[in-house]
């Protein structure tokens, strides 16, 4: 029974046994004799994979790595490592390169790659070890380490690296893309930040066919990067912490510290504050012949306020913030202290050429007088940051800090010798607006600008759409404003398509009174009806809607801040108009684009952008920057300005050939001569529109021109759109960078209905004020400014409606 249950095994001769193939995949053959495969053999990826070599980690001290890191980062890439970043790199190299980090040159290649990707991402001159950007670079680099070497495919062609969509349209952290095992070349546009502008490697004729709007970008106040100037390291630091509407109280002090540090470092680069390289005679004056300065005999030196103690009767030059002390007297403060300021005998520089109000940073030349007791002893002496200094400072001359040209700030040269400014410094690697830094993208963007705009010939009748129409305060609740707006649109609709502006900038307040505050403009329902009426007007000109971009900048009477301010000054910066009121206008653009596609079959991209106040427009990256700001700033300056005693008519001050420190920094004692001193650009003058068959009062024109020059010089010298105390003009502490005018923009649109319209150029910055859309004092006249992106100049236009 047991034998029957056993399995029966059949013995087969070895020659007849079936041989199991060595590989599971049997290759079928068309010829059994020669084993010819039917299909070619495909090599599988897993058959080619090699085992990853192992590295025995070592403990590498930071001091041992320091000489090599210094040679790679400092000498080769002009970067500086701090102790934290050096320690992190030593740990990283010891872990992934092992004992062969020096003999096999593994550490040198790793350090070189880290430095390259740090510069590509605009990390700054100092490599911060605790920064998120540095950690992301090492984290992404760790995935490409194999056997102590970086295994990255570098055989991509130039066209592939430019046309690869995932590398050119998505943000790459640390220079690597997580979805691809390859990176672009070092000289590719992706590494230089051009990917944000959607620029591809095309031929010049392809760029010439593109519209200028393709290179236009609107950057709102809450979208631009936030930076803080580090006075110790002398460079800008990117603030990574998220901004808040209710920040720490220390941010209020930091706001003024940043303003002071920026102006202080800008002033130290001025030729008047740089010590000469050769010994010169100590003469306390500047000699001039006519209006040209011949020689500078002495470099001025700023004195901290705390250093005035014990130096009574000596003359000094102070740089500080004008404030009102708790006692009600005028004081000047810097980062070391505060002191009472006496301007009874002071003279403004230039004479009647600039405004001086509390909240501005000024230069005061005078004499320190020490008294027996401090002026603020009754209040505890806490008026300044470092306490109030006893005595007072007798000011002899008060002037604003000299302005710095955009080329000098970015370090791209061009006009250094003409303005008397030194070529030192330069923040070309800083991406102030998130569109690419000047050093990284500037040369290519200027080449594109020359190609698209055709700047080889600056003729006025040159073909191509390169105009921007800037409409001043447009009150939609006023029938006259609506008629004027219709007339302006009709002028461009009747013209050829090549002369239609690429952008229309409409600036508020869009109602005459505050909304939802008991004013005459009604509530939210009436406000929406005003924009519905605007949509009806825009629909009458579909060709303009299809070919242009409309940018709407709000004012103080627009919602929702006007609900709480009731028409007073709102907090800056402020958000755009809520979408609740703008839906009908957006539908008008959608309908116009749909109609164009149905009739002609071509796709149009006209759109409306509701941005913040202030806002910035960029053309070709950092090549052109246009700042648009709506504020009644001239009236606020008149209400808060300091008054100075005018010199006697027979005094010797007007005929003296000796210039004070304030005069030499402002170029001359006359504000008109100072503005015209900008020889690199068109002479700064107020272009008042001329009307045929109308007699214009020359004295009125000169008065308006002088007022415009005075306002422009004040704002640009301060480098801030709101140089006032926070009690006069509230500012969001964490977003104060949006009001900064450093570096100087190429154009500034300062919409102030209380000031006459003007176009003035000062230190290379073209400042424009369109005023109100409906010209005051004129019957049925619409007025606006047309800005030419080719010549970078604006022109005031008028039309009767």
């Amino acid at each position: 029974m047991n034998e029957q249950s056993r399995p029966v095994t059949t013995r087969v001769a070895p020659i007849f046994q079936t041989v199991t193939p060595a590989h599971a995949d049997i290759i079928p053959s068309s010829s059994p004799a020669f084993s010819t495969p039917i299909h070619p053999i495909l090599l599988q990826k897993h058959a080619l994979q090699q085992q990853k070599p192992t590295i025995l980690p070592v403990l590498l001290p930071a001091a041992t790595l320091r000489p090599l890191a210094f040679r790679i980062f400092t000498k080769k890439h002009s970067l500086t490592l701090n102790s934290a970043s050096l320690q992190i790199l030593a740990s990283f190299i010891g872990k992934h390169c092992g004992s062969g980090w020096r003999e096999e040159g593994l550490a040198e290649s790793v350090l070189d790659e880290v430095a390259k990707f740090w510069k590509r991402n605009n990390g700054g001159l100092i490599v911060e070890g605790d920064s998120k950007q540095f950690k992301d670079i090492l984290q992404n680099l760790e995935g490409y380490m194999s056997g102590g070497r970086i295994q990255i495919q570098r055989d991509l062609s130039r066209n592939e690296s430019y046309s690869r969509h995932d590398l050119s349209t998505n943000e790459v952290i640390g220079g690597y893309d997580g979805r691809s095992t390859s990176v672009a070349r070092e000289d590719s546009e992706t590494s230089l930040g051009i990917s944000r502008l959607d620029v591809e490697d095309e031929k010049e004729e392809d760029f010439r066919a593109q519209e200028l709007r393709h290179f236009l970008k609107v950057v709102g106040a809450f979208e631009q990067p936030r930076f803080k100037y580090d006075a110790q390291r002398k460079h800008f630091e990117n603030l990574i912490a998220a901004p808040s509407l209710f920040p720490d109280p220390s941010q209020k002090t930091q706001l003024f510290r940043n303003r002071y540090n920026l102006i202080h470092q800008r002033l130290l680069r001025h030729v008047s504050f740089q010590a000469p390289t050769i010994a010169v005679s100590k003469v306390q004056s500047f000699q001039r012949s006519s209006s040209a300065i011949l020689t500078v005999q002495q470099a001025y030196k700023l004195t901290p306020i705390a250093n005035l103690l014990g130096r009574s009767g000596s003359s000094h030059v102070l740089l500080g913030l004008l404030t009102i002390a708790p006692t009600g007297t005028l004081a000047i403060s810097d980062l070391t202290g505060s002191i009472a300021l006496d301007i009874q005998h002071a003279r403004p520089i230039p004479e009647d050429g600039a405004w001086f109000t509390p909240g501005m940073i000024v230069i005061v030349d005078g004499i320190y007088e020490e008294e027996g007791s401090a002026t603020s002893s009754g209040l505890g002496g806490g008026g300044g940051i470092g306490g109030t200094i006893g005595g007072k400072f007798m000011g002899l001359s008060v002037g604003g800090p000299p302005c710095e040209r955009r080329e000098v700030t970015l370090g791209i040269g061009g006009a250094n010798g003409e303005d008397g400014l030194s070529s030192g410094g330069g923040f070309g690697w800083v991406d102030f607006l998130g569109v690419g830094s000047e050093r990284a993208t500037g040369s290519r963007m200027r080449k594109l600008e020359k190609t698209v705009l055709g700047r080889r010939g600056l003729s006025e009748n040159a073909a191509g759409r390169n105009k921007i129409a800037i409409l001043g305060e447009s009150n939609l609740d006023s029938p006259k404003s609506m008629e004027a707006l219709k007339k302006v649109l009709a002028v461009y609709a009747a013209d050829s398509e090549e002369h239609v502006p690429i952008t229309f900038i409409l600036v508020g307040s869009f109602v005459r009174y505050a909304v939802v505050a008991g004013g005459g403009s009604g509530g939210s329902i009436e406000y929406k009806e005003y924009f519905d009426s605007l949509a009806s007007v825009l629909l009458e000109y579909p060709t303009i809607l299809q070919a242009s971009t409309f940018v709407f900048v709000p004012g103080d009477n627009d919602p929702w801040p006007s609900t709480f301010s009731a028409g007073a000054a709102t907090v800056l910066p402020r958000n755009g108009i809520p979408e609740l009121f703008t839906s009908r206008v957006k539908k008008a653009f959608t309908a116009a684009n749909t109609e164009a596609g149905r009739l002609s079959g071509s796709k149009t991209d006209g759109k409306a952008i509701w941005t913040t106040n202030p806002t910035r427009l960029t053309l070709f990256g950092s090549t052109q920057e246009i700042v648009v700001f709506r504020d009644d700033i001239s009236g606020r300056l008149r209400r808060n300005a300091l008054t100075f005693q005018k010199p006697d008519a027979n005094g010797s001050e007007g005929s003296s050939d000796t210039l004070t420190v304030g005069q030499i920094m402002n170029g001359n004692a006359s504000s008109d001569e100072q503005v015209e001193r900008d020889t690199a650009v068109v002479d700064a003058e107020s272009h008042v529109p001329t009307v045929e068959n109308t007699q214009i009062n020359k004295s009125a024109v000169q008065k308006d021109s002088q007022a415009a020059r005075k306002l422009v010089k004040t704002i640009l010298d301060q480098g801030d759109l709101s140089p006032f105390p926070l009690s006069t003009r509230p500012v969001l502490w964490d977003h104060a960078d949006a009001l900064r005018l450093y570096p100087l923009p190429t154009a500034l649109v300062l919409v102030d209905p209380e000031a006459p319209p003007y176009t003035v150029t000062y230190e290379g910055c073209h400042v424009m004020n369109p005023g109100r859309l409906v010209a005051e004092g004129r019957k049925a006249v619409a007025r606006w400014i047309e800005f030419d992106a080719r010549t970078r100049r604006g022109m005031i236009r008028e039309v009767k409606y």
Side-chain angles (χ1 to χ4, degrees):
M1 184 175 179
N2 295 335
E3 294 178 358
Q4 295 178 356
S5 60
R6 292 179 180 176
V8 180
T9 59
T10 305
R11 295 185 177 181
V12 182
I15 193 173
F16 298 107
Q17 289 183 356
T18 304
V19 180
T20 304
H23 196 275
D25 297 334
I26 302 177
I27 302 177
S29 176
S30 61
S31 177
F34 298 98
S35 299
T36 304
I38 299 176
H39 305 287
I41 300 176
L42 298 178
L43 299 178
Q44 301 296 329
K45 293 183 179 180
H46 59 79
L48 299 178
Q49 288 182 352
Q50 300 179 357
Q51 293 184 354
K52 184 176 181 180
T54 58
I55 292 294
L56 182 62
V58 297
L59 184 60
L60 180 62
T64 307
L65 184 65
R66 182 178 288 111
L68 180 61
F70 175 80
R71 179 163 58 88
I72 299 298
F73 276 82
T74 304
K75 290 190 175 181
K76 183 176 181 180
H77 296 281
S78 300
L79 298 175
T80 302
L81 286 172
N82 60 8
S83 58
S85 58
L86 182 61
Q87 182 63 42
I88 294 175
L89 285 174
S91 302
F92 182 86
I93 293 175
K95 176 181 178 182
H96 295 281
C97 298
S99 58
W101 68 273
R102 187 196 302 242
E103 291 79 4
E104 301 179 15
L106 304 180
E108 183 175 354
S109 61
V110 172
L111 293 175
D112 188 58
E113 289 293 334
V114 173
K116 289 177 181 178
F117 289 115
W118 176 266
K119 293 177 65 174
R120 291 178 187 177
N121 291 273
N122 302 325
L125 297 179
I126 298 180
V127 181
E128 300 287 348
D130 53 354
S131 64
K132 183 177 182 301
Q133 185 179 6
F134 182 73
K135 295 179 180 178
D136 289 340
I137 292 176
L138 296 182
Q139 183 178 0
N140 288 278
L141 190 64
E142 187 175 5
Y144 298 89
M145 296 294 299
S146 177
R149 291 178 171 84
I150 303 176
Q151 303 294 335
I152 299 178
Q153 181 182 357
R154 292 188 178 273
D155 56 350
L156 290 179
S157 65
R158 184 178 182 89
N159 294 332
E160 288 177 351
S161 64
Y162 290 164
S163 60
R164 184 182 296 271
H165 177 73
D166 55 351
L167 288 178
S168 60
T169 59
N170 293 280
E171 183 178 2
V172 180
I173 299 178
Y176 293 101
D177 189 0
R179 296 167 299 172
S180 176
T181 59
S182 61
V183 296
R185 288 177 53 178
E186 297 177 12
D187 57 345
S188 65
E189 280 78 356
T190 303
S191 64
L192 298 181
I194 300 183
S195 59
R196 303 184 183 182
L197 302 175
D198 298 332
V199 177
E200 298 178 356
D201 191 14
E202 301 177 6
K203 298 180 180 180
E204 288 191 2
E205 50 267 21
D206 297 331
F207 283 120
R208 193 178 298 276
Q210 293 182 4
E211 274 194 350
L212 183 61
R213 282 199 301 157
H214 178 75
F215 304 96
L216 175 68
K217 182 178 180 181
V218 180
V219 182
F222 300 98
E223 300 173 359
Q224 65 185 70
R226 299 165 54 240
F227 291 94
K228 181 187 71 172
Y229 181 75
D230 192 335
Q232 299 294 331
R233 301 173 180 174
K234 301 185 185 306
H235 75 99
F236 285 89
E237 293 182 351
N238 192 0
L239 300 178
I240 304 177
S244 173
L245 295 179
F246 303 98
D248 189 81
S250 61
Q251 295 299 321
K252 180 180 180 181
T253 305
Q254 189 64 37
L255 184 154
F256 294 100
R257 284 179 177 267
N258 291 339
R259 282 185 54 197
Y260 180 88
N261 288 331
L262 278 178
I263 294 180
H264 183 264
Q265 62 87 21
R266 187 183 80 189
L267 191 63
L268 293 182
R269 291 206 300 269
H270 196 274
V271 65
S272 299
F273 290 87
Q274 291 183 349
T277 57
I278 58 177
V280 295
S281 59
K282 296 185 177 180
V283 182
Q284 307 231 352
S285 62
F286 294 87
Q287 303 298 327
R288 63 189 175 102
S289 174
S290 65
S291 61
I293 300 173
L294 295 181
T295 58
V296 178
Q297 299 294 338
Q298 180 188 8
Y300 284 90
K301 183 178 180 180
L302 297 176
T303 303
I305 292 180
N307 293 358
L308 295 177
L309 289 175
R311 305 171 70 178
S312 179
S314 58
S315 60
H316 302 274
V317 179
L318 304 183
L319 175 69
L321 179 74
L322 290 178
T323 60
I324 301 298
T327 56
T329 59
L330 185 64
I332 183 171
S333 304
D334 64 4
L335 300 184
T336 63
S338 178
I339 188 173
L341 179 62
D342 188 352
I343 59 172
Q344 182 179 1
H345 305 286
R347 178 184 176 187
I349 304 297
E351 194 75 37
D352 196 26
W355 297 98
F356 299 98
T357 66
M360 291 185 180
I361 297 178
V362 298
I363 301 175
V364 182
D365 185 9
I367 301 174
Y368 171 60
E369 291 186 359
E370 188 175 6
E371 297 178 353
S373 60
T375 58
S376 60
S377 58
L379 296 177
I385 298 176
T388 300
I389 306 300
K392 62 180 178 180
F393 192 78
M394 302 292 296
L396 301 180
S397 62
V398 180
C403 192
E404 186 177 81
R405 297 178 65 92
R406 180 180 179 89
E407 295 83 2
V408 178
T409 303
L410 298 179
I412 57 179
N416 295 348
E418 298 176 5
D419 295 335
L421 298 176
S422 65
S423 59
F427 303 101
W429 286 111
V430 182
D431 186 4
F432 290 99
L433 299 179
V435 295
S437 62
E438 175 64 35
R439 292 286 181 89
T441 64
S443 59
R444 177 166 173 80
M445 287 296 103
R446 280 188 290 271
K447 181 180 179 181
L448 293 179
E449 180 187 23
K450 185 177 181 180
T451 302
V452 176
L453 295 179
R455 299 192 64 184
R456 298 178 181 87
L458 300 180
S459 59
E460 297 181 358
N461 298 325
R465 299 178 56 209
N466 46 42
K467 302 295 180 62
I468 298 178
I470 305 171
L471 282 64
E473 188 176 56
S474 307
N475 302 132
L476 303 181
D477 58 342
S478 173
K480 293 183 178 180
S481 294
M482 296 299 291
E483 293 178 7
L485 179 60
K486 286 183 181 180
K487 185 60 179 179
V488 173
L489 296 177
V491 169
Y492 289 112
D495 209 337
S496 61
E497 184 179 355
E498 293 183 352
H499 294 84
V500 176
I502 61 171
T503 303
F504 285 84
I505 301 178
L506 276 69
V507 185
S509 299
F510 294 104
V511 289
R512 290 174 291 180
Y513 306 100
V515 177
V516 200
S521 298
S524 58
I525 298 178
E526 290 79 6
Y527 190 79
K528 188 178 188 312
E529 291 177 352
Y530 297 146
F531 276 98
D532 293 345
S533 302
L534 175 63
S536 302
V537 173
L538 295 178
L539 282 174
E540 298 178 8
Y541 308 96
T543 56
I544 295 181
L545 301 187
Q546 298 163 5
S548 302
T549 299
F550 280 69
V551 180
F552 295 85
V553 180
D556 289 339
N557 292 337
D558 296 313
W560 292 114
S562 63
T563 306
F564 308 97
S565 64
T570 58
V571 180
L572 291 176
R574 59 150 294 169
N575 277 310
I577 298 176
E579 189 177 356
L580 169 67
F581 306 103
T582 62
S583 58
R584 189 68 63 87
V585 177
K586 293 182 178 180
K587 291 180 180 179
F589 281 87
T590 303
N593 294 330
T594 303
E595 182 181 359
R598 181 177 56 86
L599 296 179
S600 61
S602 60
K603 183 179 179 181
T604 59
D605 56 350
K607 58 183 177 180
I609 299 177
W610 308 86
T611 184
T612 60
N613 182 32
T615 189
R616 299 173 190 259
L617 282 71
T618 62
L619 282 170
F620 303 99
S622 60
T623 305
Q624 291 195 41
E625 177 186 351
I626 305 174
V627 179
V628 183
F629 183 49
R630 168 65 178 91
D631 189 30
D632 299 332
I633 192 170
S634 60
R636 188 174 296 105
L637 287 172
R638 288 192 295 267
R639 292 191 299 267
N640 298 275
L642 302 178
T643 57
F644 296 87
Q645 293 184 0
K646 295 184 178 181
D648 297 336
N650 298 327
S652 60
E653 295 181 358
S655 58
S656 176
D657 290 336
T658 300
L659 292 178
T660 62
V661 61
Q663 290 173 315
I664 190 63
M665 289 184 301
N666 289 278
N668 208 320
S670 172
S671 63
D672 292 342
E673 295 179 7
Q674 159 62 13
V675 179
E676 293 176 354
R677 186 169 158 265
D678 189 10
T679 58
V681 293
V682 179
D683 291 341
E685 57 182 345
S686 180
H687 302 279
V688 180
T690 58
V691 183
E692 297 181 359
N693 301 327
T694 303
Q695 296 294 333
I696 301 179
N697 189 355
K698 292 185 178 181
S699 61
V701 172
Q702 294 177 356
K703 183 178 180 181
D704 293 344
S705 176
Q706 176 65 18
R709 296 168 187 266
K710 187 176 181 180
L711 174 62
V712 169
K713 177 176 172 56
T714 301
I715 298 301
L716 296 188
D717 283 352
Q718 291 296 317
D720 196 274
L721 291 172
S722 181
F724 303 101
L726 298 181
S727 58
T728 304
R729 186 54 157 163
V731 175
L732 295 176
W733 303 343
D734 273 2
H735 295 282
D737 288 347
L739 305 178
R740 183 176 56 205
L741 294 177
Y742 189 82
L744 277 184
T746 54
L748 171 62
V749 182
L750 196 61
V751 183
D752 185 3
E754 298 181 1
Y758 57 81
T759 58
V760 173
T761 301
Y762 177 65
E763 291 293 348
C765 179
H766 192 65
V767 186
M768 301 165 284
N769 176 30
R772 298 184 186 273
L773 179 60
V774 179
E776 294 184 348
R778 309 279 296 279
K779 184 177 181 180
V781 174
R783 178 190 293 139
W784 74 100
I785 287 181
E786 195 175 70
F787 179 77
D788 192 340
R790 179 186 288 110
T791 60
R792 302 185 183 183
R793 294 293 176 266
M795 179 183 65
I796 300 178
R797 293 193 57 180
E798 290 184 350
V799 64
K800 290 188 176 182
Y801 59 88

